[in-house]
Amino acid sequence: MMTSGPTLLHDDGGDATAIVIMGASGNLTRTKLAPALFSLYRKGRLPDHLHIVGVARDVMADEEFRDALRGSIPDADGGEWDEFATRLTYATADVTSAEALKTLYQRLDEFDPGENGKLNCLYYLALAPGLYEPAVTALSEAGMADEWNGWRRIVIEKPFGSDLITAQNLNHHVHSVFREEQVYRIDHYLGKETVQNLMVFRFANSIFEPIWNRNYIDQVQITVAEDVLVGERGEYYDRSGVLKDMFQNHLLQLLALITMDPPYAFAADALRNEKVKALSAVRRMSLRDVRDNVVIGQYDGYHYEPGVSPGSHTPTYAALRLYVDNWRWHGVPFYLRSGKGLSRKTTEMIIQFRSPPHMLFPVPDNVDIPGNTLSICVQPNEGMRLEFQSKVPDAELEMKPVSLEFHYDEGFSGINLPDAYERLLLDALEGDASLFTRSDEIELAWSIIDPIVHGLDLPGAPAPFRYLPGMDGPPNSEELLRSDNRRWLPGCVEVGYGI
Ligand code: BG6
């Protein structure tokens, strides 16, 4: 959660805390969790009596585990790393075996017990999704969910389910062991500074909220573009595709933050209640809607990626037109697009306001004076840009779009934007679930994506259009907007923003 003041020092109240990373030999631990924990340690934000225990099946000594993590953190040298490394231990165990976890649990008792003799435990499931349920069962059978001497919390990575039914089943299973307040479902987009800033921008300023509705906003575009290809993740990706991998979570979360009403407080449930209301209002697509409002693409060469089945129709690109059926947003189209193998990596949201109702100034024939646009650049070149018309000096009534810009690197120079995992790990340790998705949010998001996926799976559904890696997606994604007399608006990079 966002707090005021420059530093956030974690107050553990003298308790000992163990972060148990289940699946610690995997990529996520090396590339995200370990760098985030080390950075928090250097900033003095981790609890004093903290132990980090990696658990996986691989046989490894503590020292090997430490070396493996150190190798993945570029600046992990010197005394600070050596001190941090004393907090790291490793246990070889099958996380689906209650017996193995019992042995591990006994080992936690040997740690420095803190000043109160209490031990809090954060279980981080950095596992293949198929292991979530058995790992939760094993934690329960090993008695590790009981809060007899401190809190117990569980962090669950995405994907949370592969459709509505599997997500409901997983929620049901998790709730049979942990209360909802103990569960932290990760969507790392919520931990990004610029995504959190969207809430500050909307609710800590009074000039935008009065015009944040259908009376003033003409359309909203959300783009999450990636230049990378599927690479080594072919097997997972071919089962998911872009709709499950990116839209169900990240893009719908961005949509929820743009469309929700102001919460009564910046508190986990107040915030999530509003997101739930916004997601509930998103119009579910009928089969016909899928045909008219969805464009899918697949980059050329996708079939040759390891793990991808020949002839696969899995989309690596999608563009959707969505509507939010409530008073605030009735009739405003939300265009969402995401894909891999595109020309660049960028995440941005563009709010286009309506054109002036009556144009006083002479405008050349066929020139359309667009409404003001507000571009929120999530990554890279984090910041914002508001475009408006201005008079060209020393010319008759000639107009030209100009902009007001804010850049994080200028506005907050000297402060590096932390990785999303730093924020999320800290919040989970502090028991603040504001930036984590609640069970009902996850299920609502699946209920929006499922009909689209089913519609595209039916016989006769259009196959994905091909596009060459390095393009901006398949050409027909333009047609989706052209039928509304609109086009994809130039994004933060195209307009030279922040460069
Ligand atoms: C993950 C997806 O959730 O988000 C990946 O599984 C994707 O396919 C990644 O590459 C994008 O995250 P970011 O932070 O790099 O935009």
Side-chain angles (χ1 to χ4, degrees):
M1 174 171 165
M2 295 168 276
T3 52
S4 57
T7 39
L8 298 141
L9 293 175
H10 184 94
D11 178 14
D12 58 5
D15 296 353
T17 305
I19 301 179
V20 181
I21 304 175
M22 306 172 86
S25 57
N27 206 25
L28 182 75
T29 309
R30 275 196 311 280
T31 57
K32 293 290 177 189
L33 304 183
L37 286 165
F38 182 52
S39 173
L40 288 171
Y41 177 76
R42 295 172 97 176
K43 294 176 188 168
R45 294 180 186 170
L46 289 179
D48 288 340
H49 308 281
L50 176 77
H51 308 278
I52 301 165
V53 189
V55 189
R57 273 214 251 228
D58 305 47
V59 179
M60 239 192 292
D62 288 347
E63 217 38 62
E64 282 173 271
F65 179 58
R66 290 172 187 148
D67 287 347
L69 299 190
R70 181 183 192 152
S72 65
I73 306 175
D75 50 353
D77 278 322
E80 271 180 327
W81 170 262
D82 293 340
E83 276 170 35
F84 175 71
T86 61
R87 317 280 190 113
L88 297 171
T89 49
Y90 180 82
T92 303
D94 172 359
V95 297
T96 65
S97 152
E99 282 315 305
L101 291 191
K102 264 186 205 155
T103 312
L104 167 75
Y105 207 27
Q106 282 156 8
R107 230 182 111 183
L108 301 190
D109 267 348
E110 293 161 18
F111 291 146
D112 157 19
E115 287 137 39
N116 309 322
K118 274 195 180 172
L119 178 68
N120 302 317
C121 295
L122 183 72
Y123 306 121
Y124 198 116
L125 303 196
L127 297 167
L131 296 177
Y132 294 163
E133 281 200 27
V136 167
T137 307
L139 283 168
S140 161
E141 288 174 2
M144 293 171 77
D146 303 338
E147 297 189 294
W148 64 279
N149 71 337
W151 52 252
R152 302 289 179 266
R153 295 180 193 141
I154 184 165
V155 180
I156 307 180
E157 267 292 335
K158 69 163 277 260
F160 194 95
S162 54
D163 57 16
L164 176 59
I165 300 282
T166 51
Q168 283 171 331
N169 290 343
L170 182 55
N171 272 328
H172 185 71
H173 188 74
V174 170
H175 287 155
S176 69
V177 177
F178 294 98
R179 300 184 313 283
E180 177 62 29
E181 312 84 82
Q182 295 174 279
V183 185
Y184 293 74
R185 297 174 194 78
I186 292 254
D187 184 319
H188 76 279
Y189 266 57
L190 294 177
K192 290 182 191 276
E193 285 286 335
T194 33
V195 173
Q196 293 170 57
N197 189 41
L198 182 55
M199 288 181 275
V200 174
F201 176 78
R202 284 194 57 196
F203 305 132
N205 297 295
S206 58
I207 60 171
F208 298 105
E209 207 45 33
I211 55 170
W212 208 257
N213 57 54
R214 64 185 300 273
N215 298 325
Y216 296 93
I217 292 180
D218 175 60
Q219 58 160 328
V220 176
Q221 300 188 358
I222 303 179
T223 299
V224 182
E226 295 187 277
D227 48 0
V228 291
L229 304 180
V230 165
E232 295 305 306
R233 299 169 75 218
E235 208 180 309
Y236 150 76
Y237 195 89
D238 206 35
R239 276 181 277 115
S240 305
V242 68
L243 288 162
K244 297 184 179 192
D245 186 53
M246 296 296 286
F247 281 77
Q248 184 274 337
N249 36 69
H250 311 322
L251 279 99
L252 287 183
Q253 283 296 325
L254 296 179
L255 178 76
L257 292 173
I258 289 182
T259 55
M260 71 180 187
D261 283 345
Y264 71 86
F266 194 77
D269 272 333
L271 184 63
R272 297 187 297 177
N273 288 345
E274 296 305 333
K275 284 202 281 163
V276 158
K277 277 171 18 196
L279 290 172
S280 306
V282 174
R283 190 182 304 167
R284 273 48 177 179
M285 286 197 203
S286 66
L287 283 181
R288 192 199 165 115
D289 290 337
V290 172
R291 237 188 9 243
D292 296 344
N293 295 284
V294 180
V295 168
I296 50 170
Q298 189 185 75
Y299 65 78
D300 219 20
Y302 172 71
H303 291 122
Y304 301 114
E305 303 282 17
V308 169
S309 62
S312 161
H313 278 188
T314 299
T316 59
Y317 174 95
L320 314 181
R321 174 172 40 218
L322 292 176
Y323 289 96
V324 178
D325 288 331
N326 58 21
W327 273 49
R328 190 192 274 265
W329 295 113
H330 179 81
V332 178
F334 288 82
Y335 302 102
L336 276 58
R337 61 179 167 167
S338 179
K340 293 212 189 287
L342 302 180
S343 57
R344 66 177 75 93
K345 180 170 176 66
T346 168
T347 300
E348 56 204 28
M349 297 170 267
I350 302 180
I351 322 289
Q352 178 155 56
F353 294 90
R354 290 186 186 279
S355 301
H358 172 63
M359 185 46 74
L360 302 182
F361 308 108
V363 181
D365 282 352
N366 302 325
V367 173
D368 190 20
I369 297 294
N372 305 103
T373 48
L374 171 70
S375 308
I376 301 170
C377 306
V378 173
Q379 59 185 18
N381 307 324
E382 293 83 355
M384 292 185 180
R385 175 175 196 273
L386 180 66
E387 195 172 279
F388 54 93
Q389 298 295 328
S390 178
K391 180 183 175 302
V392 177
D394 202 19
E396 245 174 81
L397 268 172
E398 197 184 328
M399 289 182 288
K400 189 177 172 239
V402 293
S403 63
L404 284 174
E405 296 187 12
F406 155 71
H407 302 272
Y408 266 78
D409 55 0
E410 289 167 7
F412 298 105
S413 64
I415 303 181
N416 290 331
L417 291 183
D419 186 79
Y421 277 86
E422 282 190 39
R423 170 83 278 137
L424 297 173
L425 280 162
L426 202 57
D427 282 0
L429 285 170
E430 290 181 340
D432 182 348
S434 308
L435 301 178
F436 294 83
T437 38
R438 207 168 58 187
S439 56
D440 47 355
E441 256 181 279
I442 291 258
E443 292 179 14
L444 283 166
W446 279 120
S447 76
I448 296 167
I449 295 301
D450 272 7
I452 304 175
V453 172
H454 293 156
L456 293 171
D457 272 351
L458 289 178
F465 286 84
R466 287 294 164 86
Y467 60 96
L468 290 174
M471 286 175 66
D472 284 332
N476 61 330
S477 73
E478 292 292 340
E479 277 155 35
L480 182 70
L481 278 74
R482 208 170 292 138
S483 58
D484 294 341
N485 275 328
R486 295 193 176 92
R487 64 193 169 90
W488 292 107
L489 295 166
C492 302
V493 175
E494 280 106 328
V495 293
Y497 169 81
I499 299 177

